[in-house]
Amino acid sequence: MKNAQINLPWLVRIKAGALQRLGLYLARPGLTPVGLFHSEGLLESILNVARQSLRDHGVATALLHEVKEASIEEAVHLLNAVPSVCRALIGVGGGKALDVAKYTASLAELPYFAVPTSLSNDGFCSPQASLTLEGQRRSLPTGLPEAVVVDLAVCQRAPRMLWHSGVGDLSAKFTAVSDWKLAFQRKGVPVNDLAALMSDASVFQFMANPVSDEQGIQLLATALMLNGVAMEIAGSSRPASGSEHLISHALDMTGARQRLHGLQTGTAAYLVSSLQRGSHHERIGELFTRTGFWESVRKQPFSKEEWRIAVERAPSVKEDFYTILSEGDAWPEFARMIADDKALSGCFE
Ligand SMILES: [Zn+2]
């Protein structure tokens, strides 16, 4: 059985100084004017570099918008605000602005340029947008961005906690792929081997050099991007999202104190991987020790009680989504680890 046609990004630039060339990337295929959406509170200096680059290459900005909330309501409002002359939409900044820009571009059927300024999760190049509808978080299909522009120098200046969040979200791929294979064994859910392989391989590449220097950030950006592409190839979120994401979604839904997505999914992946009994638990543990991941978690420890409730609800967060959490109550083992595992000391209160 062949996959239906998939659309992959036609421009990928992951290098230092890429932001200064943004205008060129749009000017070459004649994409002007554009709409530019950026994060609330994005450093003026970063926004100025982007805007100056557009001007330098004769790319007009027909709409400039600061994204304050990642909701479907906001995206629909923006869809009406996008001038009909716009030839492309650009999202510059963090998750919210990118999700809103990506979804609005897909509604408007315009090419979308993703320009993340930090690497806190794999959403910048995933085929879906995470937005709220009447306050409830939803994942909406969008297709992949047409272009991904990651300026390594800009990402390197982002707070370390955001980098840790990206590391956490990447580690979730180990547990996600294990869950996918389990769903195949138990329920016959088809596994796309190429997508699973890409997802796995990208993590190993980064793990060979898990540091936050320019090369390490390049590997992390590439790995997170390939995870998004793996989702598109598989036609599902399975390569990048398993039981660890169910726990994270449950935390978001149950009104737990907000933490960075990747700190939640990474910590959940560490716990879940111990239930999965493979070699992943040790690997994730080593990755987190080498990168100092737990330091960022300890800065704002999780609530054990909020996690207990989330773990209880997690199996029913998504319909027909078999994972290791479907096999029985995971909490007793998690509680034991939270109490005894030295790596987790100070991470929960
Ligand atoms: Zn994620």
Side-chain angles (χ1 to χ4, degrees):
M1 193 172 69
K2 265 197 172 289
N3 267 343
Q5 197 186 341
I6 58 165
N7 291 310
L8 299 172
W10 45 258
L11 180 130
V12 176
R13 292 289 183 279
I14 303 179
K15 61 180 188 179
L19 192 62
Q20 284 151 26
R21 298 168 70 82
L22 179 63
L24 180 65
Y25 305 145
L26 287 139
R28 274 186 189 142
L31 296 175
T32 178
V34 296
L36 195 159
F37 296 0
H38 65 89
S39 295
E40 191 177 16
L42 178 70
L43 284 178
E44 200 72 13
S45 56
I46 295 176
L47 186 60
N48 286 344
V49 171
R51 297 195 67 193
Q52 186 61 46
S53 175
L54 296 179
R55 277 195 293 272
D56 289 349
H57 293 91
V59 177
T61 304
L63 173 70
L64 179 70
H65 179 78
E66 181 179 56
V67 175
K68 296 197 169 124
E69 60 168 63
S71 68
I72 295 177
E73 294 88 339
E74 167 100 340
V76 170
H77 164 75
L78 281 166
L79 176 65
N80 294 318
V82 173
S84 58
V85 289
C86 263
R87 301 288 312 281
L89 293 185
I90 310 168
V92 182
K96 278 186 192 173
L98 299 192
D99 276 324
V100 169
K102 182 162 57 173
Y103 189 61
T104 308
S106 95
L107 292 179
E109 297 181 0
L110 286 172
Y112 166 58
F113 278 55
V115 189
T117 53
S118 65
L119 299 168
S120 60
N121 60 57
D122 62 14
F124 67 89
C125 183
S126 72
Q128 42 186 245
S130 173
L131 300 172
T132 58
L133 179 65
E134 292 173 355
Q136 291 294 312
R137 190 150 293 284
R138 306 280 166 100
S139 281
L140 299 134
T142 58
L144 294 174
E146 267 70 13
V148 179
V149 178
V150 182
D151 191 322
L152 297 175
V154 169
C155 291
Q156 226 178 328
R157 291 200 298 270
R160 196 162 170 77
M161 195 180 269
L162 296 178
W163 182 70
H164 281 146
S165 176
V167 171
D169 208 29
L170 188 66
S171 78
K173 313 320 162 202
F174 281 125
T175 42
V177 171
S178 288
D179 277 326
W180 198 8
K181 289 176 179 166
L182 183 71
F184 168 71
Q185 286 160 12
R186 300 283 198 265
K187 298 284 174 187
V189 172
V191 171
N192 181 310
D193 293 319
L194 176 65
L197 193 76
M198 275 177 67
S199 214
D200 259 357
S202 65
V203 188
F204 282 119
Q205 244 182 340
F206 171 69
M207 285 176 71
N209 186 27
V211 291
S212 58
D213 65 6
E214 191 175 307
Q215 198 200 359
I217 291 206
Q218 184 178 29
L219 287 172
L220 181 63
T222 307
L224 290 171
M225 189 190 74
L226 288 178
N227 271 312
V229 174
M231 282 191 247
E232 177 74 0
I233 289 174
S236 95
S237 62
R238 280 282 189 180
S241 168
S243 49
E244 74 302 312
H245 272 73
L246 295 183
I247 294 174
S248 178
H249 294 323
L251 280 168
D252 296 339
M253 286 164 60
T254 52
R257 281 171 290 168
Q258 286 272 307
R259 294 287 183 278
L260 286 168
H261 171 79
L263 296 185
Q264 293 183 172
T265 54
T267 303
Y270 180 72
L271 293 170
V272 162
S273 60
S274 102
L275 294 180
Q276 291 173 330
R277 309 276 180 238
S279 51
H280 294 336
H281 183 62
E282 211 173 303
R283 277 206 189 97
I284 294 173
E286 194 191 319
L287 176 67
F288 287 178
T289 304
R290 286 181 70 186
T291 53
F293 173 86
W294 299 119
E295 291 160 26
S296 285
V297 177
R298 281 187 198 108
K299 277 191 183 138
Q300 284 180 300
F302 293 117
S303 152
K304 197 173 154 186
E305 181 56 14
E306 285 172 356
W307 275 65
R308 187 189 64 73
I309 294 166
V311 169
E312 193 177 293
R313 294 197 183 169
S316 56
V317 163
K318 266 192 203 175
E319 245 173 80
D320 286 332
F321 198 83
Y322 198 91
T323 69
I324 189 78
L325 298 178
S326 315
E327 308 235 300
D329 185 6
W331 184 249
E333 181 156 343
F334 291 173
R336 207 165 30 247
M337 288 175 71
I338 290 168
D340 300 338
D341 188 329
K342 282 202 176 64
L344 293 173
S345 135
C347 294
F348 288 83
E349 57 185 23

